[in-house]
């Protein structure tokens, strides 16, 4: 398939890139589970390694060969100057290329937890930047899987994938149900649930020994609001990071990295 030079921004083949929101991509026609945008050759490579299928690639002229080498000859590669691609997408392609990727089916939660020992649960974390940063820490420090609640920002949103440097595509994750079913799921797989929260009865992270628990789930809540009462009721322990200088908390992404490192097996 030849490289396709962009001459008309109204070309229907470019619809996946034409100022399309993450929500619209998730509902894209002609797909089984929707689309997401992989931004940069590194993220595209990680997506391909995870088995995800590209629908097309949009590239600056100097990244065409790199894009073709990654996706092969059967995937359309559209090319154009930076100004034209920025007009099409609504943002500058700082990393040289983006790809419209078919979203994979999310794994079953039971299957996801079957071989896991360290799990992170995100409740209602609404900022995709924080979601992406948490995934990056999980990939680097060592969480086996991540569960996200229905109101949590979608890890496949472009900003989350970009901030995570593609680790959203590497760390296994799926959506959780309500707290009754999620607590039953975690109990069935033998997880001790440790909630990170500011409470008077919380145990200092320095004193909580994660090694006592073969299977441990770290529960993190929304920015500002923290964990809901239902989430706290589902926890076996409540822990908090000890602070200095009158500061009471960290950003959820920073807190997740500290807690994951402290509780890593």
């Amino acid at each position: 398939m030849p490289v396709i030079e962009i001459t008309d921004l109204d070309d229907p083949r470019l619809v996946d890139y034409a100022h399309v929101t993450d929500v619209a991509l998730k509902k894209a026609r002609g797909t089984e589970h929707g689309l997401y945008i992989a931004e940069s050759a590194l993220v595209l490579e990680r997506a391909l390694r995870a088995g995800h299928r590209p629908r097309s690639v949009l590239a600056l002229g100097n990244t065409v060969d790199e894009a073709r080498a990654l996706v092969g000859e059967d995937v359309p590669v559209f090319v154009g100057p930076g100004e034209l691609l920025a007009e099409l997408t609504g943002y500058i392609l700082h990393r040289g290329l983006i790809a419209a990727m078919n979203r994979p089916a999310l794994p079953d939660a039971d299957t996801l937890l079957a071989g896991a020992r360290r799990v992170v649960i995100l409740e209602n974390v609404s900022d995709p930047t924080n979601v992406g940063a948490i995934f990056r820490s999980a990939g680097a420090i060592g969480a086996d899987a991540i569960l996200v609640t229905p109101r949590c920002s979608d890890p496949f949103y472009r900003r989350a994938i970009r901030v995570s440097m593609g680790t959203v595509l590497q760390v296994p994750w799926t959506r959780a149900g309500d707290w009754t079913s999620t607590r039953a799921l975690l109990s069935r797989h033998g997880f001790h649930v440790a909630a990170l929260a500011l409470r008077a009865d919380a145990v200092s992270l320095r004193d909580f020994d994660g090694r006592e628990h073969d299977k441990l789930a770290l529960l993190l809540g929304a920015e500002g609001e923290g964990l809901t009462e239902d989430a706290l009721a589902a926890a076996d322990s409540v822990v908090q990071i000890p602070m200095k200088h009158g500061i009471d908390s960290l950003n959820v992404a920073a807190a997740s990295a500290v807690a994951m490192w402290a509780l890593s097996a």
Side-chain angles (χ1 to χ4, degrees):
M1 183 174 293
V3 172
I4 304 163
E5 187 169 353
I6 298 171
T7 57
D8 181 6
L9 295 185
D10 293 325
D11 187 331
R13 295 174 297 179
L14 300 175
V15 66
D16 296 341
Y17 305 106
H19 290 259
V20 183
T21 65
D22 288 308
V23 174
L25 284 167
K26 191 174 181 179
K27 300 176 181 178
R29 293 181 179 180
T31 65
E32 188 175 2
H33 305 291
L35 300 171
Y36 70 85
I37 294 296
E39 192 173 359
S40 81
L42 172 64
V43 173
L44 176 56
E45 182 180 7
R46 288 179 172 172
L48 295 169
R49 196 182 306 146
H52 300 183
R53 295 180 297 106
R55 186 147 93 164
S56 65
V57 178
L58 185 68
L60 296 174
N62 61 352
T63 62
V64 168
D65 291 342
E66 188 174 22
R68 181 58 79 204
L70 286 169
V71 301
E73 297 296 328
D74 297 329
V75 176
V77 176
F78 298 96
V79 62
E83 298 80 3
L84 191 65
L85 300 192
E87 184 180 348
L88 171 67
T89 61
Y91 50 86
I92 298 172
L93 272 65
H94 290 293
R95 292 166 177 82
L97 64 83
I98 59 176
M101 306 294 298
N102 288 284
R103 281 178 177 247
L106 292 180
D108 172 74
D110 268 307
T111 303
L112 191 70
L113 296 186
R117 294 186 58 246
R118 291 293 182 267
V119 171
V120 174
I121 307 170
L122 305 183
E123 187 197 37
N124 305 343
V125 179
S126 60
D127 187 339
T129 298
N130 283 333
V131 170
I134 292 168
F135 266 85
R136 189 172 182 182
S137 294
I141 298 171
D144 302 311
I146 295 180
L147 296 176
V148 298
T149 63
R151 289 176 54 203
C152 186
S153 180
D154 194 327
F156 279 142
Y157 281 180
R158 184 174 68 93
R159 192 146 49 105
I161 295 174
R162 184 178 72 240
V163 170
S164 79
M165 296 294 290
T167 51
V168 163
L169 313 173
Q170 296 176 296
V171 179
W173 69 274
T174 197
R175 290 279 179 186
D178 60 30
W179 275 112
T180 299
S181 61
T182 300
R183 176 66 254 194
L185 169 75
L186 294 164
S187 297
R188 188 161 63 246
H189 287 275
F191 279 92
H192 182 97
V193 180
L196 202 62
L198 298 175
R199 293 213 327 191
D201 59 346
V203 177
S204 170
L205 189 60
R206 288 197 182 102
D207 300 324
F208 183 80
D209 190 353
R211 292 170 297 181
E212 292 182 357
H213 307 286
D214 182 56
K215 294 186 174 185
L216 184 65
L218 176 64
L219 177 53
L220 300 162
E223 306 88 342
E225 299 175 7
L227 293 167
T228 64
E229 289 302 318
D230 287 343
L232 290 168
D236 299 299
S237 302
V238 179
V239 298
Q240 65 180 20
I241 300 170
M243 300 284 173
K244 295 181 178 180
H245 308 299
I247 298 171
D248 63 354
S249 64
L250 295 172
N251 165 274
V252 65
S256 73
V258 172
M260 275 188 262
W261 185 87
L263 301 176
S264 59

